[in-house]
Amino acid sequence: MEGNAVAGHKLFFALRPAAETAERIARIVTAEHEARGLAPRLRPSRVFHITLHYFGYFEGEEPDERFVAAASRAAAELVWPAFDLRFDTFASWGDERARHHPFVLTGGRCLEAVRKLRDALVARLVARGLAAPQRAYEPHLTLRYDPRPAPAWGVGLPGWVASEFVLVRSMQGQTRHHVLRRWPLQG
């Protein structure tokens, strides 16, 4: 970093596809975009994920180890089965005034198991004083950001078997995710 700029990072719990699955999703999404005359301009597939809980932005390059340890203890209390997830819609979020529209994969009822896992995880975090009570949540995988909204369309896109969730540190502006901890979902 130049000058006196302070690097920052974001912390969040997420479900992440394996590299091969992320690449498959990127190929399908690229073909879907091109078939509709849209430029794909996707985020790197290595950062594809579904956020379960976002803790926020923190100053500095390294996360507070006490906070990470407390969040990890709450996550370790959760016993949850592995599950299949899939997507059924491409959508562009935000109204016409938005500067950047997230273009996402969503799943409606196809992602109900994600919602339930997220609810259980947030309940553990709230019980430990690490999160505010739940707000509206719609599971999604962000593909790109665009200054213009795009029309939504249905698609049958297989996802993956969610067999673990992770705690991720994302360095601000670097499009890199560092997995800090992992928790298996029971088979």
Side-chain angles (χ1 to χ4, degrees), residues 11-49:
L11 282 178
F12 55 92
F13 282 112
L15 296 170
R16 293 174 27 126
E20 308 79 39
T21 301
E23 282 297 316
R24 176 183 46 81
I25 291 170
R27 282 191 305 275
I28 293 169
V29 168
T30 296
E32 288 278 340
H33 274 67
E34 290 170 347
R36 286 165 175 76
L38 299 170
R41 295 187 308 275
L42 301 182
R43 301 178 75 210
S45 62
R46 72 179 181 275
V47 298
F48 283 3
H49 68 278

Side-chain angles (χ1 to χ4, degrees), residues 10 28 56 66 94-95 97 102-105 122 136 139 154 157-158 161 166:
K10 299 173 185 174
I28 293 169
R66 287 177 297 174
D95 62 27
R97 295 169 284 147
F103 197 75
V104 302
L105 287 170
V122 170
L157 181 62
V161 174
V166 296

